[in-house]
Coordinates of all heavy atoms in Angstrom, one line a residue:
M1295 N 0.8 -1.2 0.0 CA 0.0 0.0 0.0 C 0.9 1.2 0.0 O 1.8 1.4 0.8 CB -0.9 0.0 1.2 CG -1.9 1.1 1.2 SD -3.4 0.8 2.3 CE -2.7 0.1 3.8
T1296 N 0.6 2.2 -0.9 CA 1.4 3.4 -1.0 C 0.8 4.5 -0.1 O -0.4 4.6 0.0 CB 1.4 3.9 -2.5 OG1 1.8 2.8 -3.3 CG2 2.3 5.1 -2.7
A1297 N 1.7 5.2 0.5 CA 1.2 6.3 1.4 C 0.7 7.4 0.5 O 1.2 7.7 -0.6 CB 2.4 6.8 2.2
V1298 N -0.3 8.1 1.1 CA -0.9 9.3 0.4 C 0.0 10.4 0.5 O 0.5 10.7 1.6 CB -2.3 9.6 1.0 CG1 -2.8 10.9 0.5 CG2 -3.3 8.5 0.9
P1299 N 0.4 11.1 -0.6 CA 1.3 12.2 -0.5 C 0.6 13.4 0.3 O -0.6 13.5 0.3 CB 1.5 12.6 -1.9 CG 0.4 12.0 -2.7 CD -0.1 10.8 -2.0
S1300 N 1.4 14.1 1.0 CA 0.9 15.3 1.8 C 0.4 16.4 0.8 O 0.8 16.4 -0.3 CB 2.0 15.8 2.6 OG 3.0 16.5 1.8
P1301 N -0.5 17.3 1.4 CA -0.9 18.4 0.6 C 0.3 19.2 0.0 O 0.3 19.7 -1.1 CB -1.8 19.2 1.5 CG -2.2 18.3 2.6 CD -1.1 17.3 2.7
T1302 N 1.3 19.3 0.8 CA 2.5 20.0 0.4 C 3.2 19.4 -0.8 O 3.6 20.0 -1.7 CB 3.5 20.2 1.6 OG1 2.9 20.8 2.7 CG2 4.8 21.0 1.2
S1303 N 3.3 18.0 -0.7 CA 3.9 17.3 -1.9 C 3.0 17.4 -3.1 O 3.6 17.6 -4.2 CB 4.0 15.8 -1.5 OG 4.9 15.6 -0.5
V1304 N 1.7 17.4 -3.0 CA 0.8 17.5 -4.1 C 1.0 18.9 -4.7 O 1.1 19.1 -5.9 CB -0.6 17.2 -3.8 CG1 -1.5 17.5 -4.9 CG2 -0.8 15.8 -3.3
G1305 N 1.1 19.9 -3.8 CA 1.3 21.3 -4.2 C 2.6 21.5 -4.9 O 2.6 22.2 -6.0
R1306 N 3.6 20.9 -4.5 CA 4.9 21.0 -5.2 C 4.8 20.4 -6.6 O 5.3 20.9 -7.6 CB 6.0 20.3 -4.4 CG 6.6 21.2 -3.3 CD 7.9 20.7 -2.8 NE 7.8 19.4 -2.2 CZ 7.6 19.1 -0.9 NH1 7.5 20.0 0.0 NH2 7.5 17.8 -0.5
W1307 N 4.1 19.2 -6.7 CA 4.0 18.6 -8.0 C 3.2 19.5 -8.9 O 3.6 19.7 -10.1 CB 3.3 17.2 -7.7 CG 3.0 16.5 -9.0 CD1 3.9 15.6 -9.6 CD2 1.8 16.5 -9.8 NE1 3.3 15.1 -10.8 CE2 2.0 15.6 -10.9 CE3 0.6 17.1 -9.6 CZ2 1.0 15.4 -11.8 CZ3 -0.4 16.9 -10.6 CH2 -0.2 16.0 -11.7
L1308 N 2.1 20.0 -8.4 CA 1.3 20.9 -9.2 C 2.1 22.2 -9.7 O 2.0 22.6 -10.8 CB 0.0 21.4 -8.5 CG -1.1 20.3 -8.3 CD1 -2.1 20.8 -7.3 CD2 -1.7 20.1 -9.7
T1309 N 2.8 22.7 -8.7 CA 3.6 23.9 -9.0 C 4.6 23.6 -10.1 O 4.8 24.4 -11.1 CB 4.4 24.4 -7.8 OG1 3.4 24.8 -6.8 CG2 5.3 25.6 -8.1
G1310 N 5.2 22.4 -10.1 CA 6.1 22.0 -11.1 C 5.5 21.9 -12.5 O 6.0 22.3 -13.5
K1311 N 4.3 21.3 -12.5 CA 3.5 21.2 -13.7 C 3.2 22.6 -14.3 O 3.4 22.8 -15.5 CB 2.2 20.4 -13.5 CG 2.4 19.0 -13.2 CD 3.1 18.2 -14.3 CE 3.4 16.8 -13.9 NZ 4.2 16.1 -15.0
V1312 N 2.6 23.5 -13.5 CA 2.3 24.8 -14.0 C 3.5 25.5 -14.5 O 3.5 26.1 -15.5 CB 1.6 25.6 -12.8 CG1 1.4 27.1 -13.3 CG2 0.2 25.0 -12.5
A1313 N 4.6 25.4 -13.7 CA 5.9 26.1 -14.1 C 6.3 25.5 -15.5 O 6.8 26.3 -16.3 CB 6.9 25.9 -13.1
S1314 N 6.2 24.2 -15.7 CA 6.7 23.6 -16.9 C 5.8 24.1 -18.1 O 6.3 24.4 -19.2 CB 6.7 22.1 -16.9 OG 5.4 21.6 -16.9
Y1315 N 4.5 24.3 -17.9 CA 3.6 24.8 -19.0 C 4.0 26.2 -19.3 O 4.0 26.6 -20.5 CB 2.2 24.8 -18.5 CG 1.6 23.5 -18.1 CD1 0.5 23.4 -17.3 CD2 2.1 22.3 -18.6 CE1 -0.1 22.2 -16.9 CE2 1.5 21.1 -18.3 CZ 0.4 21.1 -17.4 OH -0.1 19.9 -17.0
L1316 N 4.4 27.0 -18.3 CA 4.7 28.4 -18.5 C 6.2 28.6 -18.9 O 6.6 29.8 -19.2 CB 4.4 29.2 -17.3 CG 2.9 29.2 -16.8 CD1 2.7 29.9 -15.5 CD2 2.0 29.9 -17.9
K1317 N 7.0 27.6 -18.8 CA 8.4 27.6 -19.0 C 9.1 28.7 -18.1 O 9.8 29.5 -18.5 CB 8.7 27.9 -20.5 CG 8.2 26.8 -21.4 CD 8.4 27.2 -22.9 CE 8.0 26.1 -23.8 NZ 6.8 25.5 -23.7
V1318 N 8.7 28.6 -16.8 CA 9.3 29.4 -15.8 C 9.8 28.5 -14.6 O 9.5 27.3 -14.5 CB 8.3 30.5 -15.2 CG1 7.9 31.4 -16.3 CG2 7.2 29.8 -14.5
D1319 N 10.6 29.1 -13.7 CA 11.1 28.4 -12.6 C 9.9 28.2 -11.6 O 9.1 29.1 -11.4 CB 12.2 29.2 -11.9 CG 12.9 28.5 -10.8 OD1 12.3 28.5 -9.6 OD2 13.9 27.9 -11.0
P1320 N 9.8 27.0 -11.0 CA 8.7 26.8 -10.0 C 8.6 27.9 -8.9 O 7.6 28.2 -8.4 CB 9.0 25.4 -9.4 CG 9.7 24.7 -10.5 CD 10.6 25.8 -11.2
A1321 N 9.8 28.5 -8.5 CA 9.8 29.5 -7.5 C 9.0 30.7 -7.9 O 8.6 31.5 -7.1 CB 11.2 29.9 -7.2
E1322 N 8.7 30.9 -9.2 CA 8.0 32.0 -9.7 C 6.4 31.8 -9.6 O 5.7 32.8 -9.9 CB 8.3 32.3 -11.2 CG 9.8 32.8 -11.4 CD 10.1 33.1 -12.8 OE1 9.3 33.7 -13.5 OE2 11.2 32.7 -13.2
I1323 N 6.0 30.6 -9.2 CA 4.6 30.3 -9.1 C 4.1 30.6 -7.7 O 4.6 30.0 -6.8 CB 4.3 28.9 -9.5 CG1 4.8 28.6 -10.9 CG2 2.8 28.6 -9.4 CD1 4.2 29.4 -12.0
D1324 N 3.2 31.5 -7.6 CA 2.5 31.8 -6.3 C 1.4 30.8 -6.1 O 0.4 30.9 -6.9 CB 2.1 33.2 -6.2 CG 1.3 33.6 -5.0 OD1 1.1 32.7 -4.1 OD2 1.0 34.8 -4.8
P1325 N 1.4 29.9 -5.1 CA 0.4 28.9 -5.0 C -1.0 29.5 -4.6 O -2.0 28.8 -4.8 CB 0.9 28.0 -3.9 CG 1.9 28.8 -3.2 CD 2.5 29.8 -4.1
S1326 N -1.1 30.8 -4.2 CA -2.3 31.4 -3.9 C -2.9 32.2 -5.0 O -4.0 32.8 -4.9 CB -2.2 32.2 -2.6 OG -1.3 33.3 -2.8
R1327 N -2.2 32.3 -6.1 CA -2.6 33.1 -7.2 C -3.4 32.3 -8.2 O -3.0 31.2 -8.5 CB -1.4 33.7 -8.0 CG -1.7 34.6 -9.1 CD -0.4 35.2 -9.7 NE -0.8 35.9 -10.9 CZ 0.1 36.3 -11.8 NH1 1.4 36.0 -11.6 NH2 -0.2 37.0 -12.9
P1328 N -4.6 32.8 -8.6 CA -5.4 32.0 -9.6 C -4.6 31.6 -10.8 O -3.9 32.4 -11.4 CB -6.5 32.9 -9.9 CG -6.7 33.8 -8.7 CD -5.2 34.0 -8.3
L1329 N -4.8 30.3 -11.2 CA -4.1 29.8 -12.4 C -4.4 30.6 -13.7 O -3.5 30.8 -14.5 CB -4.4 28.4 -12.6 CG -3.9 27.4 -11.4 CD1 -4.5 26.0 -11.7 CD2 -2.4 27.4 -11.3
A1330 N -5.6 31.1 -13.7 CA -6.0 31.9 -14.9 C -5.2 33.2 -15.0 O -5.0 33.6 -16.2 CB -7.5 32.2 -14.8
E1331 N -4.7 33.7 -13.9 CA -3.9 34.9 -14.0 C -2.6 34.7 -14.6 O -1.9 35.6 -15.1 CB -3.7 35.5 -12.6 CG -5.0 36.2 -12.1 CD -4.8 36.9 -10.7 OE1 -3.6 37.0 -10.3 OE2 -5.8 37.2 -10.1
Y1332 N -2.1 33.4 -14.6 CA -0.9 33.0 -15.3 C -1.1 32.8 -16.8 O -0.2 32.5 -17.5 CB -0.3 31.8 -14.7 CG 0.3 32.0 -13.3 CD1 -0.3 31.5 -12.2 CD2 1.5 32.7 -13.2 CE1 0.2 31.7 -10.9 CE2 2.1 32.9 -12.0 CZ 1.4 32.4 -10.8 OH 2.0 32.6 -9.6
G1333 N -2.4 32.9 -17.2 CA -2.7 32.7 -18.6 C -2.9 31.3 -19.0 O -2.9 30.9 -20.2
L1334 N -3.1 30.4 -18.0 CA -3.4 29.0 -18.3 C -4.9 28.9 -18.8 O -5.8 29.3 -18.2 CB -3.2 28.2 -17.1 CG -1.8 28.1 -16.6 CD1 -1.7 27.1 -15.4 CD2 -0.9 27.6 -17.6
D1335 N -5.0 28.4 -20.0 CA -6.3 28.3 -20.7 C -6.8 26.9 -20.6 O -6.3 26.1 -19.9 CB -6.2 28.8 -22.1 CG -5.2 28.0 -23.0 OD1 -4.8 26.9 -22.5 OD2 -4.8 28.5 -24.1
S1336 N -7.9 26.7 -21.3 CA -8.6 25.4 -21.3 C -7.7 24.2 -21.8 O -7.8 23.1 -21.3 CB -9.9 25.4 -22.1 OG -9.7 25.8 -23.4
V1337 N -6.8 24.5 -22.7 CA -5.9 23.5 -23.2 C -5.0 23.0 -22.1 O -4.8 21.8 -21.9 CB -5.1 24.0 -24.4 CG1 -4.0 23.0 -24.8 CG2 -6.0 24.3 -25.6
Y1338 N -4.4 24.0 -21.4 CA -3.5 23.6 -20.2 C -4.3 23.0 -19.1 O -3.8 22.0 -18.5 CB -2.8 24.9 -19.7 CG -1.7 25.4 -20.6 CD1 -1.8 26.6 -21.1 CD2 -0.6 24.6 -20.8 CE1 -0.8 27.1 -22.0 CE2 0.4 25.0 -21.6 CZ 0.3 26.3 -22.2 OH 1.3 26.7 -23.0
A1339 N -5.6 23.4 -18.9 CA -6.4 22.8 -17.9 C -6.7 21.3 -18.2 O -6.6 20.5 -17.3 CB -7.7 23.5 -17.7
L1340 N -7.0 21.0 -19.5 CA -7.2 19.6 -19.9 C -5.9 18.8 -19.8 O -6.0 17.6 -19.4 CB -7.8 19.6 -21.3 CG -9.2 20.1 -21.4 CD1 -9.6 20.1 -22.9 CD2 -10.2 19.2 -20.6
T1341 N -4.8 19.4 -20.1 CA -3.5 18.7 -20.0 C -3.2 18.4 -18.6 O -2.8 17.3 -18.2 CB -2.4 19.6 -20.6 OG1 -2.7 19.9 -22.0 CG2 -1.0 18.9 -20.5
L1342 N -3.5 19.4 -17.7 CA -3.3 19.2 -16.3 C -4.2 18.0 -15.8 O -3.7 17.2 -15.0 CB -3.5 20.4 -15.5 CG -3.3 20.4 -14.0 CD1 -1.8 19.9 -13.7 CD2 -3.6 21.7 -13.3
C1343 N -5.4 18.0 -16.2 CA -6.3 16.9 -15.8 C -5.8 15.6 -16.2 O -5.8 14.6 -15.4 CB -7.7 17.2 -16.3 SG -8.6 18.5 -15.5
A1344 N -5.3 15.5 -17.4 CA -4.7 14.2 -17.9 C -3.5 13.8 -17.1 O -3.3 12.6 -16.8 CB -4.4 14.4 -19.4
E1345 N -2.7 14.8 -16.8 CA -1.5 14.4 -16.0 C -1.9 14.0 -14.6 O -1.2 13.1 -14.0 CB -0.5 15.6 -16.0 CG 0.1 15.8 -17.4 CD 1.3 16.6 -17.4 OE1 2.3 16.3 -16.6 OE2 1.4 17.7 -18.1
I1346 N -2.9 14.6 -14.0 CA -3.4 14.2 -12.7 C -3.9 12.8 -12.7 O -3.5 12.0 -11.9 CB -4.5 15.2 -12.2 CG1 -3.9 16.5 -11.8 CG2 -5.3 14.6 -11.0 CD1 -4.9 17.6 -11.6
E1347 N -4.6 12.5 -13.8 CA -5.1 11.1 -13.9 C -3.9 10.1 -14.1 O -3.9 9.1 -13.5 CB -6.1 11.0 -15.1 CG -7.4 11.8 -14.8 CD -8.4 11.7 -15.9 OE1 -8.2 11.1 -16.9 OE2 -9.5 12.3 -15.7
D1348 N -3.0 10.5 -15.0 CA -1.8 9.6 -15.2 C -0.9 9.4 -14.0 O -0.5 8.3 -13.7 CB -1.0 10.1 -16.4 CG -1.8 9.9 -17.8 OD1 -2.8 9.2 -17.8 OD2 -1.3 10.6 -18.7
D1349 N -0.5 10.6 -13.4 CA 0.5 10.5 -12.4 C -0.1 10.2 -11.0 O 0.6 9.5 -10.2 CB 1.2 11.9 -12.3 CG 2.1 12.1 -13.6 OD1 2.2 11.3 -14.4 OD2 2.6 13.2 -13.7
L1350 N -1.3 10.7 -10.7 CA -1.8 10.5 -9.4 C -2.9 9.4 -9.3 O -3.4 9.0 -8.3 CB -2.4 11.8 -8.8 CG -1.4 13.0 -8.7 CD1 -2.2 14.2 -8.2 CD2 -0.3 12.6 -7.8
G1351 N -3.3 8.9 -10.5 CA -4.3 7.9 -10.6 C -5.7 8.3 -10.2 O -6.5 7.5 -9.8
L1352 N -6.0 9.6 -10.3 CA -7.3 10.1 -10.0 C -8.1 10.5 -11.3 O -7.5 11.1 -12.2 CB -7.2 11.4 -9.1 CG -6.6 11.2 -7.7 CD1 -6.4 12.6 -7.1 CD2 -7.5 10.3 -6.9
V1353 N -9.4 10.1 -11.3 CA -10.2 10.6 -12.4 C -10.8 11.9 -12.0 O -11.4 12.0 -10.9 CB -11.3 9.5 -12.7 CG1 -12.2 10.1 -13.8 CG2 -10.7 8.2 -13.1
V1354 N -10.6 12.9 -12.8 CA -11.1 14.3 -12.4 C -11.9 14.9 -13.5 O -11.7 14.5 -14.7 CB -9.9 15.2 -12.0 CG1 -9.2 14.7 -10.8 CG2 -8.9 15.3 -13.2
E1355 N -12.7 15.8 -13.2 CA -13.5 16.6 -14.2 C -12.7 17.6 -14.9 O -11.7 18.2 -14.3 CB -14.7 17.3 -13.4 CG -15.7 16.4 -12.8 CD -16.4 15.5 -13.8 OE1 -16.7 16.0 -14.9 OE2 -16.6 14.3 -13.5
P1356 N -13.0 17.9 -16.2 CA -12.2 18.8 -16.9 C -12.3 20.3 -16.4 O -11.5 21.1 -16.7 CB -12.7 18.7 -18.3 CG -14.0 17.9 -18.3 CD -14.0 17.2 -17.0
T1357 N -13.3 20.5 -15.5 CA -13.5 21.8 -14.9 C -12.7 22.0 -13.7 O -12.8 23.1 -13.0 CB -15.0 22.1 -14.6 OG1 -15.4 21.1 -13.7 CG2 -15.8 22.1 -15.9
L1358 N -11.9 21.1 -13.3 CA -11.1 21.1 -12.1 C -10.4 22.4 -11.8 O -10.4 22.9 -10.7 CB -10.2 19.9 -12.0 CG -9.5 19.6 -10.7 CD1 -10.4 19.1 -9.7 CD2 -8.3 18.6 -10.9
A1359 N -9.7 22.9 -12.8 CA -8.9 24.1 -12.6 C -9.7 25.3 -12.4 O -9.2 26.3 -11.8 CB -7.9 24.3 -13.8
W1360 N -11.0 25.3 -12.8 CA -11.9 26.4 -12.5 C -12.6 26.2 -11.1 O -12.8 27.2 -10.5 CB -12.9 26.6 -13.6 CG -12.2 27.2 -14.8 CD1 -12.1 28.5 -15.1 CD2 -11.5 26.5 -15.9 NE1 -11.4 28.7 -16.2 CE2 -11.0 27.5 -16.7 CE3 -11.3 25.2 -16.1 CZ2 -10.3 27.2 -17.9 CZ3 -10.6 24.9 -17.3 CH2 -10.1 25.9 -18.1
D1361 N -12.8 25.0 -10.8 CA -13.5 24.7 -9.5 C -12.5 25.0 -8.3 O -12.9 25.3 -7.3 CB -14.0 23.3 -9.4 CG -15.1 23.0 -10.5 OD1 -15.7 23.9 -10.9 OD2 -15.2 21.8 -10.8
Y1362 N -11.2 24.7 -8.6 CA -10.2 24.9 -7.6 C -9.1 25.7 -8.2 O -8.1 25.2 -8.8 CB -9.6 23.6 -7.1 CG -10.7 22.7 -6.5 CD1 -11.4 21.8 -7.3 CD2 -11.1 22.8 -5.2 CE1 -12.5 21.0 -6.8 CE2 -12.2 22.1 -4.7 CZ -12.8 21.2 -5.5 OH -13.9 20.5 -5.0
P1363 N -9.2 27.1 -8.3 CA -8.5 27.9 -9.2 C -7.0 28.2 -8.8 O -6.3 28.9 -9.5 CB -9.3 29.2 -9.2 CG -10.0 29.2 -7.9 CD -10.3 27.8 -7.6
T1364 N -6.6 27.8 -7.6 CA -5.2 28.0 -7.2 C -4.5 26.7 -7.0 O -5.1 25.7 -6.7 CB -5.1 28.9 -5.9 OG1 -5.6 28.1 -4.8 CG2 -5.8 30.2 -6.1
V1365 N -3.2 26.7 -7.0 CA -2.4 25.5 -6.6 C -2.8 25.1 -5.2 O -3.0 23.9 -5.0 CB -0.9 25.8 -6.7 CG1 -0.1 24.7 -6.1 CG2 -0.5 26.0 -8.2
T1366 N -2.9 26.0 -4.3 CA -3.3 25.6 -2.9 C -4.6 24.9 -2.8 O -4.7 23.9 -2.2 CB -3.2 26.8 -2.0 OG1 -1.9 27.4 -2.0 CG2 -3.6 26.5 -0.6
A1367 N -5.6 25.5 -3.5 CA -7.0 24.9 -3.5 C -7.0 23.6 -4.2 O -7.6 22.6 -3.7 CB -8.0 25.9 -4.1
L1368 N -6.3 23.5 -5.3 CA -6.3 22.3 -6.1 C -5.5 21.2 -5.3 O -6.0 20.0 -5.3 CB -5.6 22.5 -7.4 CG -5.7 21.4 -8.5 CD1 -7.1 20.9 -8.7 CD2 -5.2 22.0 -9.8
A1369 N -4.4 21.5 -4.7 CA -3.6 20.5 -3.9 C -4.5 20.0 -2.8 O -4.5 18.8 -2.5 CB -2.4 21.1 -3.4
G1370 N -5.2 20.8 -2.1 CA -6.0 20.4 -1.0 C -7.1 19.4 -1.5 O -7.4 18.4 -0.8
H1371 N -7.7 19.8 -2.6 CA -8.8 18.9 -3.1 C -8.2 17.6 -3.6 O -8.8 16.5 -3.2 CB -9.4 19.6 -4.3 CG -10.4 18.7 -5.1 ND1 -11.6 18.4 -4.5 CD2 -10.3 18.1 -6.3 CE1 -12.2 17.6 -5.4 NE2 -11.5 17.4 -6.4
L1372 N -7.1 17.6 -4.3 CA -6.5 16.3 -4.7 C -6.1 15.5 -3.6 O -6.2 14.2 -3.6 CB -5.4 16.6 -5.7 CG -5.8 17.2 -7.0 CD1 -4.5 17.6 -7.8 CD2 -6.7 16.4 -7.8
H1373 N -5.5 16.1 -2.5 CA -5.1 15.3 -1.3 C -6.3 14.7 -0.7 O -6.2 13.5 -0.3 CB -4.4 16.3 -0.3 CG -4.0 15.6 0.9 ND1 -4.8 15.6 2.0 CD2 -3.0 14.7 1.2 CE1 -4.3 14.9 3.0 NE2 -3.1 14.3 2.5
G1374 N -7.4 15.4 -0.6 CA -8.6 14.8 -0.1 C -9.1 13.6 -0.9 O -9.5 12.6 -0.3
K1375 N -9.1 13.7 -2.2 CA -9.5 12.6 -3.0 C -8.6 11.4 -2.9 O -9.0 10.3 -2.8 CB -9.5 13.0 -4.5 CG -10.7 13.9 -4.9 CD -10.8 14.1 -6.4 CE -11.1 12.8 -7.1 NZ -12.3 12.7 -7.9
L1376 N -7.3 11.7 -2.8 CA -6.3 10.6 -2.6 C -6.5 9.9 -1.2 O -6.5 8.7 -1.1 CB -4.9 11.1 -2.7 CG -4.4 11.5 -4.1 CD1 -3.1 12.4 -4.0 CD2 -4.2 10.3 -4.9
S1377 N -6.8 10.7 -0.2 CA -7.1 10.2 1.1 C -8.4 9.3 1.1 O -8.4 8.3 1.7 CB -7.2 11.3 2.1 OG -6.0 12.0 2.3
D1378 N -9.4 9.9 0.4 CA -10.7 9.1 0.3 C -10.5 7.8 -0.4 O -11.0 6.8 0.0 CB -11.7 9.9 -0.4 CG -12.2 11.2 0.4 OD1 -11.9 11.2 1.6 OD2 -12.9 12.0 -0.2
D1379 N -9.7 7.8 -1.5 CA -9.4 6.6 -2.2 C -8.6 5.6 -1.4 O -8.9 4.4 -1.4 CB -8.6 6.9 -3.5 CG -9.5 7.5 -4.6 OD1 -10.7 7.7 -4.4 OD2 -8.9 7.8 -5.7
E1380 N -7.7 6.1 -0.6 CA -6.9 5.2 0.3 C -7.8 4.6 1.3 O -7.7 3.4 1.6 CB -5.8 6.1 1.0 CG -5.0 5.3 2.0 CD -4.0 4.4 1.4 OE1 -3.7 4.4 0.2 OE2 -3.4 3.5 2.1
Q1381 N -8.7 5.4 1.9 CA -9.6 4.8 3.0 C -10.6 3.8 2.3 O -10.9 2.8 3.0 CB -10.4 5.9 3.6 CG -9.5 6.8 4.6 CD -10.3 7.9 5.2 OE1 -11.5 8.1 4.9 NE2 -9.6 8.7 6.0
A1382 N -11.0 4.1 1.1 CA -12.0 3.1 0.5 C -11.3 1.8 0.1 O -11.9 0.8 0.1 CB -12.5 3.8 -0.8
A1383 N -10.0 1.9 -0.1 CA -9.2 0.7 -0.5 C -8.9 -0.2 0.8 O -8.6 -1.4 0.6 CB -8.0 1.0 -1.2
S1384 N -9.0 0.4 1.9 CA -8.6 -0.3 3.2 C -9.7 -1.2 3.6 O -10.9 -1.1 3.4 CB -8.4 0.7 4.3 OG -7.3 1.6 4.0

């Protein structure tokens, strides 16, 4: 059984993904700033959803980036889903 990553770990992973899309250093990403303010559009949002599904094993809605518009909000949501999945598997 794999341990559920912490919200901080999920946030770092998300920050790295956003930074790679924008071609900037992850340190330039403010986790409390809305992703839309960085210019991330629907194409990036769908790409992020696909990566979440591939890397974290979660099935997510394509509206995820709008429902949880910051790295902090999104990380908290994903951590909750990962925790729920872990508990359901137990």
Side-chain angles (χ1 to χ4, degrees):
M1295 186 159 43
T1296 305
V1298 174
S1300 70
T1302 302
S1303 296
V1304 175
R1306 279 194 301 264
W1307 180 84
L1308 285 168
T1309 298
K1311 293 296 177 187
V1312 171
S1314 72
Y1315 301 154
L1316 299 173
K1317 297 178 177 45
V1318 299
D1319 187 276
E1322 294 181 42
I1323 304 299
D1324 177 352
S1326 63
R1327 184 176 173 194
L1329 298 172
E1331 287 184 13
Y1332 287 107
L1334 294 181
D1335 60 14
S1336 59
V1337 172
Y1338 286 117
L1340 289 174
T1341 301
L1342 181 59
C1343 288
E1345 293 198 56
I1346 288 167
E1347 291 180 2
D1348 290 345
D1349 293 355
L1350 301 179
L1352 296 172
V1353 176
V1354 296
E1355 296 295 321
T1357 59
L1358 188 72
W1360 284 270
D1361 296 338
Y1362 303 93
T1364 66
V1365 167
T1366 300
L1368 189 50
H1371 173 72
L1372 294 174
H1373 177 263
K1375 283 189 64 121
L1376 288 166
S1377 294
D1378 290 348
D1379 286 358
E1380 176 75 13
Q1381 288 177 358
S1384 299

